[in-house]
Amino acid sequence: MDILLGSPRVEPFFSMIGRESVKSILTEALDSERKELLDGRSEHTSSESVLARALPLLERRGANSLLPVINATGVVVHTNLGRSCLAEEAAQAVLAAARCYSTLEFNLEEGKRGRRTDHVEWLLRRVTGAEAGLVVNNNAGAVLLSLAALCQGKEVIVSRGELVEIGGSFRIPEIMAFSGVRLVEVGATNRTHLRDYANAVTENTAALLKVHPSNFRMEGFVSSAPREELASLAKERGLHFIEDLGSGTLLDFSRCGLFGEPTVRDCLEQGVHLVTFSGDKMLGGPQIGAVAGKKQLVDALRSYPLHRALRVDKMTLAAFEATLRLYLRGEEKRIPTVSMLFAESDSLKLRAESLLEALRSSFPNGRFTLTEVQDAVGGGAFPAEQLSGWGVSVSLVEWGSAGRVQRLLRRAQPPVVAGACENETVLHVRTLLPGDEDRILEAFRSAEKMAFSGNLEESATKRERG
Ligand SMILES: *Cc1c(COP(=O)(O)O)cnc(C)c1O
């Protein structure tokens, strides 16, 4: 251990992660080295071979883990890549709120305590037309809070076609159980009628719940009860009518060829009492769970103890306020998610052409082709709709297979996550941010170095440190 700790190759890591962490990583490497010797899987050992084990790990632990990447997949609300990128206004607001004291829970006029969600509630009412609004940590939390606060110990009726799993273990039946609500399933997988709901109402029923099927679509012999009819049933029987809208758009996206997605305002106008939706899906803001609806119900959520456990952070509130203000001013195209969704095919083609030219002139040995591509909304909205877009398909035989090219690009500096289509690497331009073209060239240059340096792992981490 003394020899290892004294190695000049280990020394730089002391200032990065601290001596104790370095030591524990070296201990791990020593242990596995020792185990291999005892198991007879290796014959001898040396400080060199222990270092060879430990260095990649030290490199990995020494570098930041949550890193910016370039999304060239064409999936706009990419769940694994952080869903939405904030508008510049929202990012600035986050910085301001993060760096200094703020009016988070303080009313400047009265010099008294204020309410932290006041900053966005008026805006939420304006952009949705709701009587009242509330925000919590995320939409899963909003659904949980709504069910627990309004329906605990009672029955909630849901269509069998809407008992969905969203991913990340958010499943409607489980969320309902966790909220202390008894799930009453009605209808069939493909068809649920108003009478199915009506027949299931008992004196223990608290609400009708409608859930956006998000990431899947049923086609063929399907039907569901219209919102207006469910609203009249709820009114007649004195029930709440709650909708988990998932992505929750504030804009009509039919202009860009996406049909059939109601806005939050549409749902409320069609009689839903309480709508919950995400802030970082098609809305294009930070991760948040928004609730819009009747004042009496929102007030009940606000005073329910679970609300405190789902409280929103100040940076998130700042980002959400700035994002909603863009909607209020009609400047929603400044929100990257919105502008990517509305991007026109012609402008995407121009962008792809200029990326193509830049790549061709920098990498004459590669084969680059302009390609029509299918992009996607992602984040569970419009699963069946494809957005037609443009991209550059990449073939660099000298670097190896398409899989290797993609791996090199992922480990490049900056990392690029590209799309793949029939064994080709495709860079979709829809999801590129301004300036990403230059960063892609930079990434290709760094990937090229790795491609010929033999050891992918080691050269990747070396440059991360640089
Ligand atoms: C995405 C989604 C959720 C979860 O929202 P988060 O903001 O990720 O917590 C819940 N319900 C539906 C229908 C969704 O699409």
Side-chain angles (χ1 to χ4, degrees):
M1 182 55 87
D2 281 344
I3 294 169
L4 294 171
L5 284 170
S7 159
R9 280 150 78 200
V10 164
E11 210 237 88
F13 295 100
F14 291 160
S15 62
M16 289 183 194
I17 57 172
R19 198 183 161 88
E20 283 310 307
S21 311
V22 172
K23 208 170 156 185
S24 100
I25 289 169
L26 291 172
T27 308
E28 245 176 73
L30 269 175
D31 287 348
S32 33
E33 188 85 1
R34 184 175 295 127
K35 193 159 187 307
E36 284 195 6
L37 279 175
L38 291 173
D39 292 352
R41 274 179 293 151
S42 75
E43 304 265 283
H44 43 91
T45 182
S46 66
S47 55
E48 254 329 287
S49 67
V50 181
L51 275 182
R53 259 175 218 279
L55 281 170
L57 212 77
L58 286 167
E59 303 264 11
R60 188 138 25 98
R61 297 285 180 242
N64 279 342
S65 167
L66 182 57
L67 297 170
V69 302
I70 292 167
N71 176 5
T73 64
V75 179
V76 179
V77 183
H78 197 304
T79 303
N80 304 137
L81 302 182
R83 288 193 179 164
S84 282
C85 307
L86 293 181
E88 188 51 34
E89 286 82 352
Q92 292 296 336
V94 170
L95 262 185
R99 280 190 169 142
C100 45
Y101 294 110
S102 65
T103 54
L104 182 63
E105 292 184 2
F106 191 72
N107 182 323
L108 284 176
E109 271 157 52
E110 297 168 20
K112 283 198 309 217
R113 179 176 182 160
R115 238 175 27 195
R116 74 166 56 205
T117 55
D118 273 358
H119 304 289
V120 297
E121 284 175 16
W122 176 78
L123 285 161
L124 203 50
R125 292 205 303 275
R126 289 301 317 156
V127 299
T128 62
E131 264 176 42
L134 186 75
V135 286
V136 293
N137 180 60
N138 60 3
N139 185 34
V143 176
L144 182 67
L145 177 64
S146 305
L147 292 172
L150 303 174
C151 313
Q152 196 158 61
K154 298 245 180 102
E155 292 168 2
V156 172
I157 306 176
V158 190
S159 157
R160 288 201 169 91
E162 297 176 359
L163 294 173
V164 299
E165 172 178 314
I166 308 298
S169 75
F170 179 91
R171 285 173 149 186
I172 290 296
E174 285 165 18
I175 285 280
M176 294 182 74
F178 193 68
S179 331
V181 162
R182 208 170 82 71
L183 164 66
V184 177
E185 301 174 23
V186 295
T189 305
N190 56 332
R191 288 168 75 84
T192 305
H193 309 286
L194 182 69
R195 61 172 186 274
D196 297 322
Y197 288 90
N199 291 340
V201 177
T202 70
E203 69 237 29
N204 287 323
T205 308
L208 309 179
L209 175 67
K210 193 168 171 56
V211 182
H212 194 291
S214 282
N215 45 15
F216 80 102
R217 174 140 309 177
M218 286 193 289
E219 275 172 29
F221 191 54
V222 294
S223 84
S224 57
R227 279 187 195 82
E228 286 93 340
E229 292 182 4
L230 290 173
S232 355
L233 176 65
K235 188 167 174 201
E236 208 178 286
R237 305 290 185 93
L239 307 172
H240 303 309
F241 180 17
I242 303 171
E243 179 158 2
D244 171 12
L245 196 52
S247 197
T249 62
L250 299 178
L251 300 171
D252 177 5
F253 279 93
S254 55
R255 268 186 296 152
C256 48
L258 300 173
F259 298 99
E261 196 80 352
T263 63
V264 177
R265 185 181 290 270
D266 291 338
C267 295
L268 293 168
E269 281 173 2
Q270 289 166 15
V272 181
H273 299 160
L274 207 64
V275 179
T276 73
F277 54 101
S278 295
D280 55 349
K281 291 186 180 170
M282 284 173 82
L283 199 146
Q287 177 191 304
I288 218 168
V291 183
K294 297 215 171 298
K295 182 166 185 311
Q296 200 197 339
L297 303 187
V298 171
D299 286 344
L301 263 57
R302 198 193 310 284
S303 55
Y304 194 75
L306 182 62
H307 177 217
R308 175 63 176 77
L310 299 170
R311 170 164 112 163
V312 175
D313 170 68
K314 63 189 174 189
M315 292 184 277
T316 305
L317 277 172
F320 198 52
E321 176 178 7
T323 305
L324 291 184
R325 284 189 184 281
L326 289 172
Y327 279 98
L328 199 65
R329 295 203 294 268
E331 292 179 17
E332 56 275 331
K333 293 267 177 73
R334 297 179 65 79
I335 300 168
T337 300
V338 175
S339 76
M340 286 171 187
L341 291 172
F342 276 106
E344 309 245 344
S345 181
D346 290 349
S347 71
L348 293 174
K349 190 176 180 190
L350 285 176
R351 229 179 146 181
E353 281 166 349
S354 87
L355 178 62
L356 176 79
E357 285 316 313
L359 285 166
R360 270 189 187 155
S361 56
S362 302
F363 301 91
N365 291 336
R367 197 168 54 80
F368 301 98
T369 5
L370 190 70
T371 322
E372 264 195 279
V373 294
Q374 295 300 326
D375 296 329
V377 178
F382 297 96
E385 313 279 349
Q386 304 243 299
L387 301 160
S388 57
W390 288 89
V392 176
S393 100
V394 175
S395 157
L396 283 154
V397 272
E398 293 186 328
W399 294 15
S401 66
R404 183 159 196 260
V405 169
Q406 284 153 32
R407 199 157 57 242
L408 286 163
L409 289 173
R410 285 201 307 273
R411 296 188 183 177
Q413 189 62 25
V416 175
V417 183
C421 179
E422 289 172 11
N423 219 16
E424 287 229 46
T425 304
V426 183
L427 303 169
H428 297 238
V429 295
R430 182 187 295 274
T431 43
L432 300 184
L433 292 166
D436 271 355
E437 283 88 344
D438 289 343
R439 287 186 277 269
I440 287 178
L441 290 180
E442 204 182 316
F444 269 77
R445 282 191 285 271
S446 97
E448 186 176 43
K449 277 187 214 141
M450 274 186 287
F452 300 112
S453 79
N455 189 339
L456 202 59
E457 184 72 54
E458 194 170 292
S459 36
T461 37
K462 239 179 229 151
R463 269 167 320 80
E464 266 162 35
R465 279 168 57 201

